[in-house]
Amino acid sequence: MPKAPARDPGALDAPAEPVDDPAALLDRAARRAAGHPDGAAFLARLRRHLPRLRTELARLYGQRSDFAAFLDDLLARAWASWLERAPALKALDARREATPDWFAAPDVVGGVCYADRHAGDLAGIAAAIPHFRELGLRYLHLMPPWRCPEPHNDGGYAVSSYRALQPALGTIEDLRRLAQALREAGISLVLDFVFNHTSDEHDWARAAAAGDPVHAAYYHIHPDRREPDRYERTLREIFPDEHPGAFSQLPDGRWVWTTFHRYQWDLNYANPAVFAAMAGEMLFIANLGVEVLRMDAVAFIWKQLGTACENLPEAHTLLRAYNALARIAAPALVFKSEAIVHPDEVVKYIDPAECALSYNPLQMALLWNTLATREVNLLQQALEERQALPPGTAWVNYVRSHDDIGWTFADEDAARLGIHGGDHRQFLNRFYVARFPGSFARGVPFQDNPATGDCRISGTCASLCGLEQGDPLAVERILLLHGVMLATGGIPLLYLGDEIGMPNDAGYRDEPGRADDSRWAHRPRRDPVRHAQRLDPSTVPGRLYGALRALIATRAATPAFGGNRLVGFRSHNPHVLGFTRPGADGRGDVLVLANFSEQPQSVAAEVFSALPPDATDLVSGRTERLRQGLQLAGYRLAWLQLPGPSG
């Protein structure tokens, strides 16, 4: 195994007498930690998690003669990282080990934004902390602030260094101070760990391009087309308009694996030096005060000839190994998987030993599907059959993200309801880019192919819900989507700007390097006028903001909205979604009903026959007489608090 280069600040020399025996590894670690005041805590965690770390890494690298040296070096890195970890973070480690499911509390609500577009820079984000608290946020995901190429950087996901930021945002020390300020305000900082690839401007990539064999082995670089051609027989193209296949040619004639963009070089995890180097970067980020890592593109991180190179077992092994290392050296750190793949594959990444959190792309896609069709069948089916998760894990639910909307439902699920998946996706594409008669949406196509109808959807929530074109029901649609998201369990995540109705920003077409990427349409800069109107209920931003603040506060005060448990409730009305959140702390269940039609809808009295006769709507404050049935106005959301055991 090649040693990490001297320029890698996380590198440590391998020990003179490498060992692989767990008892000997622990003995060596005990000698390192002897006399250090925090050594006992490190050793206790090492004893708990070393067997799992060693087992996972042995699956990948155990057959190598240098495995013992690699493992010893990795533990030395972990110890060095622990020594550098701030006392406040070590205290957080202890609290999070005592309450590992802290994210399941009903008051944990998240926000996500680009720091520059929302607040100018990190100082602006720090100044916005009172606003985040006002909204009720406990979790803030900042899109990648890391140094990256300009102007082409895939929205920050082409990382050139994890130890430097985009200069306009601030410095690493600014980021460390921001993490501390957020933590003191009760807000967890979330950042991305883009570990499938680096930018072509990363020091490792530059050295590889210059012919350094050590760093060339960090990537999948081939002298000619023979191996790339063999791989591409079984690979799908991710961005075919940008480059065909999965490889890009370098100026010297060699070919490098670039799953996404030409300037994003895939890392070669068959080389244990890559795991060690990226582990050093991960622990450096954790020590900045980051509490949740969004693990980017998890489905793609392992390559194997003759396969699609997606969702391979080794991808899960790598995640479990990184997770075990974090339990040893930064146990407060939580992983969140980003896997926009078939629903059966998404859930495979969700495990406390792998990624305790996961985006819920199926729910996101089906919220928009339900809004377009006014039919709840697919979403009802998904909530009943695909919502459950293992203990100690949670969904991250979202109406939209920084990325495009793709229709990730399973064709076999749709077929059971008589829906043809391919045809239905084309309908949804037409609807959301205003190519369907009567559509209220004003989305922008991403990777559009009008000849085939294939595309994905860009657009802010406001523009997709009709606010851009002045539709009088747009506000109700926005609140309905967010109200369902807030109620379904896990961590609700708001794209900041949606709470004040920010529309699409066509100005991206005039920004360098962005004209060909329509996703920048839904990454608008915060409008200070709209932001100032957020407390004025006579304005659209004020109506939205006030209603969302009230929903978030109600959620935080309602124990049933904690955790993931959800039971389907059939309304027997094709336009009305229903589910129950089981009660907690002596309070009764909460029945959630949502009318996805603009027309009033009825739920018959007999549907409620097994429930108590009366319920309080936590949204409106009204008492509902369920024995008389329920009338739901167009786009009405109801959170019906049922009496508890003593009520």
Side-chain angles (χ1 to χ4, degrees):
M1 178 191 74
K3 284 174 59 177
R7 75 188 70 189
D8 177 358
L12 294 172
D13 289 336
E17 299 176 2
V19 289
D20 177 26
D21 175 66
L25 285 167
L26 285 168
D27 181 66
R28 186 184 295 277
R31 293 200 301 271
R32 286 192 192 108
H36 193 280
D38 289 333
F42 179 84
L43 288 173
R45 290 171 178 133
L46 185 62
R47 290 188 187 97
R48 270 201 312 274
H49 302 292
L50 176 59
R52 182 162 62 94
L53 175 65
R54 181 185 174 278
T55 296
E56 300 298 346
L57 291 173
R59 290 191 175 108
L60 302 175
Y61 312 121
Q63 76 285 1
R64 296 175 58 106
S65 62
D66 53 7
F67 178 65
F70 158 71
L71 193 57
D72 227 339
D73 174 73
L74 194 64
L75 296 184
R77 289 171 184 260
W79 170 244
S81 177
W82 177 249
L83 290 179
E84 295 169 358
R85 194 159 171 80
L89 295 179
K90 292 178 178 178
L92 180 68
D93 290 331
R95 293 197 301 273
R96 291 291 163 78
E97 284 185 306
T99 55
D101 62 346
W102 59 271
F103 45 76
D107 65 339
V108 177
V109 174
V112 56
C113 66
Y114 279 92
D116 57 338
R117 299 181 88 77
H118 188 75
D121 55 18
L122 295 185
I125 292 292
I129 289 176
H131 165 58
F132 299 146
R133 289 175 57 88
E134 171 189 280
L135 182 55
L137 302 187
R138 290 274 317 279
Y139 165 118
L140 180 65
H141 181 182
L142 295 181
M143 291 286 96
W146 315 114
R147 194 180 75 198
C148 57
E150 292 293 350
H152 300 287
N153 55 49
D154 191 23
Y157 285 89
V159 177
S160 299
S161 174
Y162 281 116
R163 299 179 185 243
L165 304 187
Q166 300 169 37
L169 293 180
T171 67
I172 281 289
E173 288 308 310
D174 292 331
L175 182 58
R176 196 187 306 272
R177 284 190 290 270
L178 174 62
Q180 178 180 344
L182 287 167
R183 186 169 63 253
E184 291 172 352
I187 301 173
S188 298
L189 178 61
V190 185
L191 291 180
D192 288 84
F193 188 45
V194 186
F195 69 125
N196 175 72
H197 50 264
T198 73
S199 88
D200 59 359
E201 294 186 4
H202 195 288
D203 285 350
W204 304 340
R206 284 177 164 166
D212 175 12
V214 170
H215 288 93
Y218 276 36
Y219 301 95
H220 298 269
I221 298 178
H222 301 278
D224 52 41
R225 283 293 311 182
R226 282 178 293 180
E227 285 300 295
D229 285 345
R230 293 179 68 201
Y231 274 106
E232 286 183 353
R233 289 173 193 154
T234 53
L235 301 181
R236 67 182 175 110
E237 295 178 318
I238 304 300
F239 291 146
D241 294 344
E242 201 266 354
H243 67 89
F247 291 81
S248 299
Q249 191 168 29
L250 302 179
D252 62 9
R254 292 181 295 168
W255 292 83
V256 61
W257 199 312
T258 54
T259 293
F260 301 106
H261 294 284
R262 295 180 184 275
Y263 49 80
Q264 291 168 307
W265 292 13
D266 286 41
L267 289 162
N268 178 13
Y269 277 97
N271 177 0
V274 170
F275 182 93
M278 289 301 288
E281 305 304 273
M282 179 189 76
L283 295 176
F284 176 82
I285 296 169
N287 280 356
L288 293 173
V290 175
E291 299 182 33
V292 179
L293 278 185
R294 174 190 179 275
M295 309 297 280
D296 181 61
V298 294
F300 297 90
I301 56 177
W302 189 266
K303 324 296 187 191
Q304 182 177 324
L305 188 65
T307 74
C309 296
E310 295 183 40
N311 301 305
L312 294 175
E314 291 84 357
H316 297 276
T317 301
L318 281 166
L319 284 166
R320 289 192 297 269
Y322 276 125
N323 184 301
L325 187 65
R327 297 311 109 227
I328 294 166
L333 193 65
V334 176
F335 290 176
K336 174 175 66 172
S337 71
E338 186 261 349
I340 313 302
V341 291
H342 189 284
D344 288 344
E345 297 295 335
V346 171
V347 296
K348 292 178 182 178
Y349 294 94
I350 307 172
D351 187 290
E354 197 162 328
C355 294
L357 304 177
S358 173
Y359 284 107
N360 193 351
L362 178 62
Q363 184 184 120
M364 180 274 297
L366 293 183
L367 282 170
W368 291 108
N369 166 79
T370 309
L371 200 66
T373 63
R374 285 77 164 176
E375 299 281 339
V376 303
N377 48 5
L378 275 171
L379 182 55
Q380 186 79 45
Q381 177 191 66
L383 290 176
E384 293 176 1
E385 299 180 6
R386 294 190 177 275
Q387 187 76 5
L389 289 180
T393 66
W395 290 115
V396 175
N397 297 311
Y398 57 110
V399 170
R400 73 174 189 90
S401 69
H402 74 287
D403 217 339
D404 56 275
I405 298 174
W407 309 113
T408 55
F409 59 83
D411 283 359
E412 59 271 28
D413 289 354
R416 288 164 50 202
L417 298 170
I419 299 168
H420 184 276
D423 292 346
H424 195 60
R425 289 184 179 90
Q426 293 211 6
F427 155 71
L428 292 169
N429 287 336
R430 293 195 305 273
F431 186 93
Y432 279 107
V433 298
R435 295 174 184 163
F436 189 84
S439 171
F440 49 75
R442 292 297 180 267
V444 183
F446 176 64
Q447 293 194 331
D448 189 21
N449 186 339
T452 64
D454 292 333
C455 73
R456 299 201 292 274
I457 307 301
S458 297
T460 67
C461 185
S463 291
L464 294 177
C465 285
L467 193 61
E468 183 176 316
Q469 63 155 333
D471 189 301
L473 296 174
V475 169
E476 283 72 19
R477 294 188 188 103
I478 295 169
L479 292 175
L480 180 72
L481 293 178
H482 284 87
V484 172
M485 175 196 71
L486 284 161
T488 49
I491 300 175
L493 185 61
L494 286 77
Y495 194 96
L496 295 177
D498 284 352
E499 80 282 6
I500 55 174
M502 290 292 296
N504 288 345
D505 179 8
Y508 77 92
R509 299 188 183 98
D510 300 321
E511 297 184 30
R514 294 176 177 172
D516 294 331
D517 187 346
S518 68
R519 292 174 297 181
W520 286 103
H522 60 231
R523 302 166 184 170
R525 290 181 172 83
R526 189 180 69 177
D527 180 350
V529 174
R530 284 179 176 270
H531 182 68
Q533 291 174 337
R534 76 190 188 282
L535 301 179
D536 181 354
S538 69
T539 66
V540 168
R543 287 174 59 198
L544 281 170
Y545 190 78
L548 282 172
R549 275 185 74 192
L551 288 173
I552 290 169
T554 300
R555 182 187 196 274
T558 306
F561 286 133
N564 289 313
R565 290 186 61 211
L566 180 152
V567 179
F569 182 92
R570 295 295 178 104
S571 71
H572 297 282
N573 182 317
H575 309 295
V576 178
L577 181 73
F579 58 89
T580 298
R581 300 300 309 281
D585 294 346
R587 295 173 62 178
D589 298 350
V590 174
L591 171 61
V592 176
L593 296 171
N595 177 9
F596 274 84
S597 165
E598 55 267 68
Q599 303 300 323
Q601 298 295 328
S602 299
V603 181
E606 53 266 29
V607 172
F608 303 111
S609 60
L611 301 181
D614 300 326
T616 301
D617 184 359
L618 299 175
V619 178
S620 68
R622 297 199 301 261
T623 297
E624 298 291 353
R625 310 297 182 188
L626 301 183
R627 292 291 183 269
Q628 301 172 14
L630 188 63
Q631 301 297 313
L632 294 170
Y635 295 127
R636 180 185 164 192
L637 170 76
W639 290 353
L640 301 177
Q641 176 70 68
L642 303 175
S646 60

